[in-house]
Amino acid sequence: MFFRHYPERVWQCIALFALTGGLALYSIMLARATHSPTSLWLVNGAMVGPLVRKPLSQARPLLISGFLGFLAAKQLLGDPFVASVLLGLCNMLEALLVSVAIRSRFPKINSHTRFMNVARVGLISALVACGACTFGVASAQHFWPTLAFWETFNSLFRSHFLGMVIAGSTSLIVVTKGWQLSEPFGRPWRLMRDLSLLALTTAAVFCMSRFPLLFMVYPPLLLLVFRHRFAGLVIGMAIVALITTAATMLDIGPFNLVHDATPQLRIVMAQVFIGVSCLVALPVALALAEHERLQARVRESELRYRMLADNSGDLVMRIRPNGDRQYVSPSIRELLGWEVSEFTKPRQDLIHPDDRERIADVVATLRAEGGTVTATYRLQHKEGHYVWIEAFARLVASPDNDGTTEIIYTGRDVTQRVLVEQALQESQAQLRTIADNVPAVIARVDMSERYTYVNRFVEQVSGETPAQMIGKTMREVRGELLYERLKTYLKRAYAGESVMFEYEATYRGRLLQFQAHYVPDRDAEGRMRGLYALTTEITHIKNVERELLRLAHQDSLTGLSNRRYFNERISSVLRQCVQFGKPVLLALVDIDNFKSINDSHGHATGDMVLSQVGQSLQRLVREGEVVARIGGDEFVVLSDNLANEGSADAFVHSLWERLHVAVAVGTGNVDVCMSIGAVWCKGAVSDDVLMKLADEALYVAKAAGRDTYRLLIRSLQDSESGAQAASRPGHLQI
C-alpha cells in the first residue's frame, strides 16, 4: 500500500539502503583486508544530501533505510549485533545533525543560493557532529581518558570528518543542483575523457613509489572542475579518494617514501592529501558557480531593464559626456515621431528656442554638481509642432567602467498638463471656454470637498449638469462606495501632491473606466485652497487593450490558443507539476495528408478542416487543459490531470478516436484522419525535451502508416535525452 501511494519514497529508501550498505562493506572490508584502520568513512556523508531535501518529519524513512543498510553490512561481516546497532545509531545521528544544521539555515536550496555559504555551514556542522559522535563511539569502546581512547577517537574522527566533507558535499551537490546544471557544455564524452585523464594520472602517481609526484594530481583535477563544474568535482574527488585509499591501504604509493612510516601514519598522510585536494578543488567549483550565478543575475537585470525601457511610454536615454545617446528607447517614435537612429546624435535644434539656454544651464549644472534634476521644456515633433516634456535626469558612473559619467534621462509627454496649468492662470472666462470644450471632466473642489466648478462635459458622462453638482460635496455626488475609493487620493492632493490614478464607476447602467488627475490649487502665498480634478474616460482604450491581448494569444482561424500563448503556459504548467509532483501529458495532433486536401479541394476546404478540428479539440479537452494550434496543420494538447499511465493512454486513445471528422464538400465529404504523438512524463523535464519526445512519438505514429497514435511513458529516472524505446501498439515505454 505504501509503495502504491508513495513509489518515489520507496525507491529513495531502497537506493539509500543499497548505497549505505555498499559503502560500509567497501570501507570495512578494505580496512580488514589490509589490517589497518578505516581511512575514509563515506556512509554518513552520503546520507546528507537526501536528508537535506526532506523536512525532519519526513526524514524518518530515509534514516531507517540508511541504518538498515549499515546494519546489514555489519551482519554480513559477522559483527556483534548489539555493537553494530549502537554504531549505526551514532552514524545516523551524525548525518542527521549535519542535515538539520544545513536545512535550518537554508530551508530551500536553489540556483539563487550561494553554495559558498552552504559549504561554510556544512563544514562547521560536520566538525561538531563528527566530534560528538566519534567521542561517543570511542567512549563506548574504551575508558576515558586512556591512550587507547584518544587513539580510537583520533582515527575515527579523521575518517568520519574527511568522509563527511567528500561524500557530504558530493551528495548535497547531486541532489540540489542536478547533473544537467553541473555540466555546462552538455557533452558526456568530454567528461569521460577528462575523468579518464585524472584516473590515469592518479594511478600513475601512486604506482611511482620511488618519486613523490602527488602534485601531479592537481592539474587534471582543476581542469576537470573548470570544464565540468560540479560534475567534475563530484566524480573527480571520488576517483582521487578511492584510488588514494585503496593504494595506501594496499601499501602502494609515494607515502612509503617516508622513513619508518607505519600503516597508521600512511593512512593519516592519505587522509591529509584527500582533504587538501578537496579543499583545493571545492572553492574553485564554488567560485565558478558563484560567478555564473552573478553573471546570470546581471544578464537578467539587464534584460529586465531593457524590457522595461523598450516598452515604457516614457522616453529613456543614456547620454554620453559628448552628448551622444548610448541608448534611446523605441518610445521616441510615439512621443516625437522620430526614429531611434535619428536621435542618437545631439539635437539641440529640436529644443524650443525659448528653452535652449535654460536647458543648457541645467545640463551644465548637472554635469558639474552631479545628483538629479527635473526640468520641463519643449521638444519639436517630427511633424513640426512642439511637445512639452518633463525630464528627470541623474548623473551616474558609466556602466562601461571607463571612468566617465553618463546622464540617465527619463522624459514624458506632459503637454496636456502644461496646457491645463497655463489655462488655470488665465481668467475664469477663458478657463470655462477651454474647459467646456475639452473631452474630459474638469472640476474644482475646495478644502471642504465641495464642487465649486465643473465643466459641461460631465453631462456626457454622468448625465448630471454642472448646476446640479456645484455646492455639493464629493461624497454626495459620487456616492458612499465610490467616495471611499477616491478618499485616499483626495487626501494626497490636499497634502500638496499631484496625483494621477485610474478607477471604474457605473453611470447610466454602464461600467466605465476613468483616468483622473488631481492637481493641488494654491493661492499666491502657496497655501492650499482646494484641488483641480481632470477626469478622462478611457473605457474604449481599455477595451482595445483587452482585445489586443486576446488577439495576441488566439488563433484567428480556429479560435484556439496560438503558439505564443502555448509557449507561455507550458513553462508554468511544468513548474507546477514539478512543485506538486504531478505528471504531465503533451500530445501533438497532426492532420494526415493535409497538403493533398488543400491541393485537391482548395484552401477554403483546408481552412474548414482546420476549423472543425479546432472545434472538436475544444469540445474534447477538460477545464485546466491547454489546447492550441502551433503550426499549419499541427495542434497540441497539454494536460496535468492524468494521474497514471492507464488514464493517459485512455485519454490519448479517446482523443484520436473522436477526432475523425468529415467535412462536407459539394455533394460529398472529406474524411479527415489524425496522427497523434504523445508523451506522459512524471518528474522534472524541460519544455524543449517534452516537445522533442512528443515529436518523436508523432514520427513513430506516421511511420506506422498514419491514422494512429503513439504514447511515450517517461519515468523520473530517465535522462532528458531519452532512452531506447520498447514499442507496443499505440504505446511506447522509455
Side-chain angles (χ1 to χ4, degrees):
M1 184 64 68
F2 182 80
F3 180 80
R4 181 178 301 174
H5 289 289
Y6 306 101
E8 180 181 354
R9 295 186 186 180
V10 172
W11 285 117
Q12 288 177 353
C13 292
I14 294 174
L16 195 57
F17 174 86
L19 179 63
T20 55
L23 291 175
L25 281 173
Y26 166 78
S27 300
I28 298 172
M29 291 177 66
L30 183 60
R32 292 183 179 179
T34 56
H35 304 287
S36 60
T38 303
S39 60
L40 190 64
W41 186 251
L42 303 172
V43 176
N44 302 344
M47 294 188 60
V48 171
L51 290 176
V52 166
R53 295 187 61 188
K54 302 290 185 181
L56 188 59
S57 58
Q58 300 178 12
R60 188 181 299 111
L62 297 177
L63 285 169
I64 295 175
S65 300
F67 171 77
L68 292 178
F70 169 79
L71 187 62
K74 295 285 284 183
Q75 294 306 298
L76 284 175
L77 296 173
D79 289 359
F81 179 78
V82 175
S84 300
V85 170
L86 294 176
L87 287 176
L89 293 176
C90 287
N91 288 331
M92 297 308 105
L93 178 61
E94 181 179 308
L96 182 63
L97 289 175
V98 175
S99 61
V100 168
I102 295 176
R103 186 172 178 82
S104 62
R105 180 64 179 83
F106 304 96
K108 186 175 182 180
I109 301 176
N110 50 39
S111 59
H112 298 290
T113 304
R114 296 191 63 182
F115 275 80
M116 193 72 75
N117 296 338
V118 178
R120 185 182 300 111
V121 173
L123 187 64
I124 295 173
S125 59
L127 277 171
V128 175
C130 292
C133 292
T134 52
F135 185 87
V137 174
S139 299
Q141 295 181 359
H142 306 282
F143 290 107
W144 182 80
T146 61
L147 179 61
F149 169 85
W150 290 113
E151 290 177 349
T152 302
F153 174 81
N154 181 38
S155 175
L156 290 176
F157 178 78
R158 284 187 284 103
S159 64
H160 278 236
F161 180 69
L162 186 60
M164 181 64 73
V165 170
I166 294 176
S169 60
T170 300
S171 63
L172 187 63
I173 289 169
V174 168
V175 301
T176 55
K177 290 190 70 65
W179 293 105
Q180 287 74 20
L181 293 177
S182 299
E183 188 181 349
F185 302 108
R187 297 184 178 180
W189 67 269
R190 287 188 175 182
L191 176 61
M192 296 303 298
R193 179 195 63 192
D194 295 336
L195 287 173
S196 301
L197 175 62
L198 175 64
L200 292 174
T201 303
T202 307
V205 164
F206 279 91
C207 288
M208 299 292 293
S209 301
R210 298 177 57 189
F211 304 100
L213 301 176
L214 292 175
F215 63 90
M216 295 294 294
V217 175
Y218 294 135
L221 177 61
L222 294 178
L223 176 66
L224 192 66
V225 172
F226 180 78
R227 284 184 174 177
H228 307 283
R229 303 300 192 265
F230 285 105
L233 172 68
V234 168
I235 307 178
M237 279 309 305
I239 290 174
V240 171
L242 291 175
I243 294 177
T244 301
T245 54
T248 303
M249 298 184 76
L250 293 173
D251 202 16
I252 302 173
F255 299 131
N256 291 327
L257 294 175
V258 178
H259 183 64
D260 295 333
T262 64
Q264 289 77 10
L265 180 58
R266 286 195 295 272
I267 290 174
V268 171
M269 289 188 291
Q271 291 172 334
V272 171
F273 171 69
I274 295 171
V276 171
S277 301
C278 185
L279 291 177
V280 168
L282 183 58
V284 174
L286 293 174
L288 290 173
E290 182 68 10
H291 177 70
E292 291 179 352
R293 186 182 71 87
L294 293 176
Q295 281 188 328
R297 293 186 65 179
V298 169
R299 288 193 298 268
E300 182 180 358
S301 298
E302 291 178 351
L303 180 62
R304 289 179 178 177
Y305 172 78
R306 181 60 66 98
M307 180 182 66
L308 291 174
D310 288 350
N311 294 280
S312 172
D314 295 345
L315 173 61
V316 180
M317 295 189 294
R318 284 176 52 194
I319 304 176
R320 299 286 292 172
N322 61 358
D324 290 345
R325 276 76 166 176
Q326 189 79 2
Y327 170 79
V328 179
S329 63
S331 58
I332 187 68
R333 289 191 293 270
E334 181 180 353
L335 196 65
L336 296 171
W338 300 97
E339 295 296 329
V340 172
S341 58
E342 298 173 315
F343 218 73
T344 54
K345 293 295 182 182
R347 297 294 303 271
Q348 302 297 328
D349 59 302
L350 297 181
I351 302 177
H352 194 280
D354 295 342
D355 298 331
R356 288 176 189 170
E357 184 176 353
R358 176 172 58 88
I359 295 302
D361 292 340
V362 170
V363 173
T365 302
L366 177 62
R367 291 198 179 277
E369 301 178 2
T372 61
V373 67
T374 303
T376 304
Y377 64 103
R378 287 160 287 185
L379 279 175
Q380 188 177 23
H381 196 277
K382 192 173 185 178
E383 296 178 357
H385 62 275
Y386 283 93
V387 177
W388 279 96
I389 301 295
E390 181 182 63
F392 175 84
R394 180 189 295 272
L395 189 69
V396 299
S398 173
D400 298 331
N401 295 321
D402 55 2
T404 63
T405 58
E406 295 182 358
I407 293 177
I408 302 300
Y409 172 104
T410 304
R412 62 177 55 188
D413 182 358
V414 293
T415 305
Q416 186 66 27
R417 191 188 75 187
V418 171
L419 292 177
V420 172
E421 290 173 350
Q422 292 175 347
L424 290 175
Q425 296 173 3
E426 297 177 1
S427 65
Q428 190 69 24
Q430 292 174 325
L431 176 62
R432 288 195 183 94
T433 302
I434 296 173
D436 287 345
N437 291 279
V438 172
V441 178
I442 301 176
R444 183 187 181 277
V445 184
D446 63 16
M447 296 300 293
S448 61
E449 298 185 357
R450 293 185 182 275
Y451 287 100
T452 61
Y453 170 77
V454 184
N455 69 340
R456 291 183 181 177
F457 189 76
V458 72
E459 298 179 16
Q460 301 182 33
V461 177
S462 66
E464 296 177 283
T465 63
Q468 293 174 321
M469 297 175 59
I470 293 176
K472 295 182 180 179
T473 64
M474 185 172 285
R475 186 192 297 268
E476 293 171 342
V477 174
R478 296 299 186 94
E480 189 68 32
L481 183 60
L482 183 55
Y483 173 78
E484 289 297 323
R485 295 165 57 189
L486 301 177
K487 185 167 61 175
T488 301
Y489 304 106
L490 284 172
K491 290 182 179 179
R492 292 169 59 185
Y494 283 133
E497 181 183 354
S498 180
V499 184
M500 183 175 290
F501 61 96
E502 296 180 2
Y503 69 96
E504 59 183 24
T506 302
Y507 291 107
R508 299 180 179 181
R510 294 176 55 212
L511 181 64
L512 304 178
Q513 294 175 306
F514 300 93
Q515 183 184 72
H517 189 188
Y518 288 173
V519 181
D521 179 24
R522 302 177 184 272
D523 61 15
E525 298 179 359
R527 292 174 297 189
M528 287 292 300
R529 61 184 184 185
L531 61 88
Y532 290 96
L534 175 64
T535 306
T536 306
E537 184 192 350
I538 57 172
T539 307
H540 63 291
I541 297 177
K542 294 297 183 180
N543 291 338
V544 170
E545 290 178 354
R546 286 190 287 267
E547 180 63 17
L548 288 176
L549 182 62
R550 185 188 66 80
L551 292 176
H553 291 90
Q554 187 180 66
D555 177 58
S556 58
L557 178 61
T558 63
L560 300 177
S561 301
N562 59 14
R563 176 181 284 273
R564 172 185 290 181
Y565 178 77
F566 172 74
N567 290 338
E568 295 173 355
R569 286 282 294 141
I570 187 172
S571 298
S572 61
V573 169
L574 291 179
R575 284 195 300 269
Q576 292 177 0
C577 289
V578 172
Q579 180 180 0
F580 298 105
K582 298 195 302 182
V584 63
L585 181 135
L586 177 68
L588 290 180
V589 180
D590 188 83
I591 300 175
D592 292 334
N593 303 313
F594 181 73
K595 185 177 183 302
S596 11
I597 294 176
N598 271 337
D599 295 341
S600 302
H601 302 282
H603 289 281
T605 301
D607 289 347
M608 291 175 59
V609 169
L610 293 173
S611 178
Q612 290 200 21
V613 170
Q615 294 173 10
S616 300
L617 280 170
Q618 192 69 58
R619 290 193 299 268
L620 291 176
V621 298
R622 296 166 291 188
E623 183 178 357
E625 296 172 341
V626 180
V627 58
R629 180 189 177 198
I630 61 172
D633 62 334
E634 194 171 23
F635 301 82
V636 65
V637 178
L638 181 67
S639 174
D640 60 353
N641 297 322
L642 304 169
N644 52 57
E645 301 176 17
S647 59
D649 186 69
F651 175 81
V652 177
H653 179 81
S654 174
L655 198 65
W656 168 77
E657 191 176 51
R658 298 171 64 182
L659 275 179
H660 291 76
V661 298
V663 179
V665 179
T667 58
N669 292 329
V670 174
D671 294 325
V672 181
C673 300
M674 302 289 166
S675 294
I676 299 177
V679 56
W680 182 84
C681 175
K682 186 171 185 181
V685 65
S686 67
D687 49 355
D688 290 337
V689 171
L690 198 63
M691 287 290 293
K692 178 183 177 183
L693 293 173
D695 192 65
E696 291 175 357
L698 180 61
Y699 177 81
V700 174
K702 285 185 173 293
R706 292 189 171 92
D707 193 17
T708 184
Y709 71 93
R710 289 296 184 269
L711 173 64
L712 292 174
I713 304 298
R714 184 183 186 276
S715 64
L716 179 65
Q717 289 78 15
D718 295 329
S719 67
E720 287 203 352
S721 60
Q724 192 70 25
S727 175
R728 59 181 185 271
H731 196 177
L732 294 175
Q733 177 76 33
I734 65 170

